[in-house]
Amino acid sequence: MFQMRKFDYFQLAVAFAGLILFILLAIGYTHHLGYIDWIDQFGFKHIRQPVTPERSWFFRNITRAGNPKWTLIVMTATAIVALLVRKIDVAVFIVLNVGVFGLGVMALLKHVFHRPRPDIYHVISQGGFSFPSGHALNAVLLYGSLIVLVHYYLKQHDQVRYAIMTLFAALVVAIPLSRVYLGVHYLSDILAGFGLGAFFLIMSKELIFKYQTREVFEHAINSESSANHAE
């Protein structure tokens, strides 16, 4: 019923660009290269400033949408629904991205790099290490995965689909930015998490969903149903 499709080579190029970005930032941090300090100072100057009560309230609430506990809850709920409707590939996709990459690999990387958090005023209390940003990685992997699923499975409801995808895309951008504003991450942490997240998300999508989208699947079902009625 499903037809195999070719890899999206443009998206694969974006994925490897994200991986290269992560590698360059990791090398820059571990070898104390000058471009890391430039990136970080740029972030504090243009994202963090000015610190105001209104901006602090906004970013404190936005950052919660990328907290590990919340991402774990959303992942679990999505996986359960997928299993109930017998979409094993969807369950594997969301658990792999959020559970394995977003939470597991991230915890390992933080302990590998051991980068202290910025020595500036923190708008929120935050422990642990700084590089790469777990919130940035989780934002890309959780809400990016949901964008992919909405794109595949809401083809017949364009207005709802675009509204949901726009909301998730806004969170993918706003959650990482919130970490710089709140003073708990450097911009280089954010870019590293973002790049690595893009790599994991695109590679998992291309490898797991190696069939045409739901639009083609539904067309095939409708064609078969019409043929049966004609007989």
Side-chain angles (χ1 to χ4, degrees):
M1 184 65 68
F2 290 108
Q3 298 181 22
M4 299 296 286
R5 64 171 172 82
K6 295 181 179 179
F7 284 114
D8 188 323
Y9 292 107
F10 173 76
Q11 291 192 28
L12 289 178
V14 173
F16 281 100
L19 179 61
I20 291 171
L21 174 63
F22 169 77
I23 292 172
L24 290 175
L25 291 169
I27 292 173
Y29 165 65
T30 55
H31 290 78
H32 308 288
L33 300 181
Y35 60 83
I36 294 295
D37 183 63
W38 183 89
I39 291 172
D40 294 337
Q41 293 306 315
F42 180 89
F44 288 139
K45 180 179 179 180
H46 295 283
I47 299 174
R48 181 172 168 84
Q49 298 300 326
V51 177
T52 66
E54 294 78 15
R55 296 185 79 211
S56 296
W57 177 88
F58 174 76
F59 283 119
R60 272 199 303 264
N61 285 282
I62 283 293
T63 205
R64 291 172 181 167
N67 287 345
K69 289 183 179 179
W70 172 248
T71 56
L72 185 61
I73 291 172
V74 176
M75 179 203 74
T76 303
T78 304
I80 290 174
V81 171
L83 292 174
L84 289 175
V85 298
R86 299 181 182 181
K87 293 292 182 182
I88 306 299
D89 51 358
V90 172
V92 171
F93 178 64
I94 196 74
V95 171
L96 178 66
N97 278 326
V98 180
V100 177
F101 296 145
L103 299 178
V105 173
M106 176 53 58
L108 176 63
L109 289 174
K110 281 185 177 290
H111 285 281
V112 167
F113 290 101
H114 272 78
R115 186 183 196 182
R117 295 196 181 272
D119 187 19
I120 58 176
Y121 168 67
H122 294 180
V123 180
I124 62 172
S125 177
Q126 187 73 62
F129 299 111
S130 187
F131 185 92
S133 167
H135 275 66
L137 184 68
N138 280 331
V140 174
L141 290 176
L142 174 61
Y143 299 107
S145 295
L146 293 177
I147 288 173
V148 170
L149 297 178
V150 168
H151 171 71
Y152 280 160
Y153 294 105
L154 284 180
K155 281 287 188 180
Q156 303 304 315
H157 306 280
D158 282 344
Q159 291 184 342
V160 175
R161 177 163 63 104
Y162 290 136
I164 295 175
M165 291 172 66
T166 300
L167 173 61
F168 289 154
L171 289 173
V172 169
V173 175
I175 291 171
L177 292 180
S178 74
R179 307 303 287 174
V180 177
Y181 174 83
L182 295 172
V184 296
H185 275 294
Y186 298 99
L187 181 57
S188 56
D189 302 334
I190 300 303
L191 295 176
F194 206 94
L196 191 61
F199 173 75
F200 285 144
L201 175 66
I202 294 173
M203 294 303 296
S204 63
K205 176 184 73 69
E206 289 296 301
L207 293 173
I208 292 175
F209 295 116
K210 275 296 293 174
Y211 51 76
Q212 293 183 343
T213 61
R214 184 175 176 83
E215 184 178 35
V216 176
F217 175 63
E218 289 177 341
H219 176 73
I221 291 178
N222 293 333
S223 298
E224 182 178 342
S225 177
S226 299
N228 291 336
H229 284 304
E231 294 176 359

